[in-house]
Amino acid sequence: RLEIRNMVRAFGGTRVVDDVSLKVMPGQVTCLLGPSGCGKSTTLRMIAGVEMQDSGEIYVDGQLICDTVFRIPPERRHIGLMFQDFALFPHLTVGDNVAFGLSGSKAEKRARVEELLDKVGLRRFIDGYPYLLSGGEQQRVALARALAPRPKIMLMDEPFSGLDNRLRDDIRDQTLELLKAEDAAVLLVTHEPEEAMRMADEIALMRRGKIVQQGAPYNIYNAPKDRQAVAFFSDIN
Ligand code: ATP
Ligand code: MG
């Protein structure tokens, strides 16, 4: 379970993240949805620990992992990351890419890698190199790599935006299935309402650094809070 409280981050006097609080439960996908520049990636980077908040606290399973004085470094947060440009290591095989963050014996690592590659349907590529794979396949390997160490929290920043439309829906569905099976608490950033409607258990609508509305997808879709929310959802049918 991930919880952030009263997170603030300003650049040059502008609060790009302005008092954001959120909870994400295990086995659930929460979408941080909002227009370009509203502060989504900044929020995610602070949770990942690669950027420091000006104020606010981050908790994992009720334990403080970061405030303005105490800070667990990114590599010890047990948080899985998947970003659009989070490329595979080209000099490692697909199997070694997935094994990258794993500890344990060789046999244990191998078993986990095979399990995940089976789940994403790419076991046959285990000894191949990433350049052999299509964009969609690389994306699935990146997902397997992120989930391999069994992170409690999974942060995803526009993970499907590099894929063509034809592939995207399939990969979204597969990704969702795997995330649910692994029982991670997922925070997914997107600027596409359609993606949030398809993937989210909960949507947090963000605008100019603030969460302006939060709830189940159909509640938000059917009852947008204000004119801007209506306009934002109006391009999906
Ligand atoms: P997009 O959908 O385009 O990815 P976003 O919601 O992820 O947008 P952020 O990347 O969080 O938006 O950026 C929010 C605002 O903060 C932007 O105006 C951006 O220019 C600004 N910003 C982010 N990082 C920095 C930084 N290191 N220095 C100065 N300004 C920054
Ligand atoms: Mg962004």
Side-chain angles (χ1 to χ4, degrees), residues 33-210:
L33 170 68
S36 183
C38 73
K40 306 181 297 292
S41 297
T42 305
T43 303
L44 231 59
R45 283 199 299 271
M46 292 191 290
I47 300 169
V50 296
E51 179 149 326
M52 193 65 193
Q53 70 268 36
D54 298 326
S55 59
E57 299 103 50
I58 305 167
Y59 299 85
V60 173
D61 291 341
Q63 287 218 301
L64 181 70
I65 62 160
C66 186
D67 63 14
T68 41
V69 286
F70 172 78
R71 178 166 183 268
I72 292 179
E75 67 277 12
R76 291 206 289 114
R77 291 189 182 188
H78 304 294
I79 290 178
L81 302 174
M82 202 173 153
F83 296 161
Q84 181 197 343
D85 53 0
F86 212 63
L88 300 174
F89 304 114
H91 60 294
L92 297 182
T93 63
V94 166
D96 287 345
N97 264 280
V98 178
F100 185 76
L102 290 179
S103 50
S105 73
K106 219 173 165 183
E108 282 166 349
K109 288 199 258 187
R110 179 83 185 182
R112 180 68 174 150
V113 168
E114 286 178 354
E115 179 194 351
L116 281 160
L117 285 176
D118 264 338
K119 282 185 177 164
V120 296
L122 295 172
R123 170 120 172 232
R124 65 191 181 284
F125 290 113
I126 191 164
D127 293 319
Y129 284 86
Y131 69 84
L132 295 170
L133 307 182
S134 71
E137 288 164 348
Q138 291 189 24
Q139 204 75 358
R140 276 141 66 198
V141 174
L143 178 69
R145 179 179 64 182
L147 288 172
R150 304 181 203 277
K152 290 176 186 165
I153 315 291
M154 185 73 183
L155 304 177
M156 308 177 86
D157 195 345
E158 314 264 6
F160 311 110
S161 55
L163 303 172
D164 73 61
N165 289 331
R166 224 166 17 90
L167 272 177
R168 205 171 322 183
D169 284 346
D170 280 350
I171 295 196
R172 278 175 183 153
D173 291 349
Q174 275 194 17
T175 299
L176 205 51
E177 201 178 313
L178 191 52
L179 289 169
K180 298 280 176 186
E182 294 285 324
D183 206 35
V186 183
L187 186 58
L188 174 81
V189 158
T190 179
H191 64 268
E192 290 179 49
E194 195 189 81
E195 181 160 300
M197 291 300 293
R198 194 178 181 100
M199 298 200 63
D201 297 294
E202 178 100 354
I203 291 177
L205 198 58
M206 196 168 179
R207 191 158 66 225
R208 279 191 243 104
K210 286 184 182 296

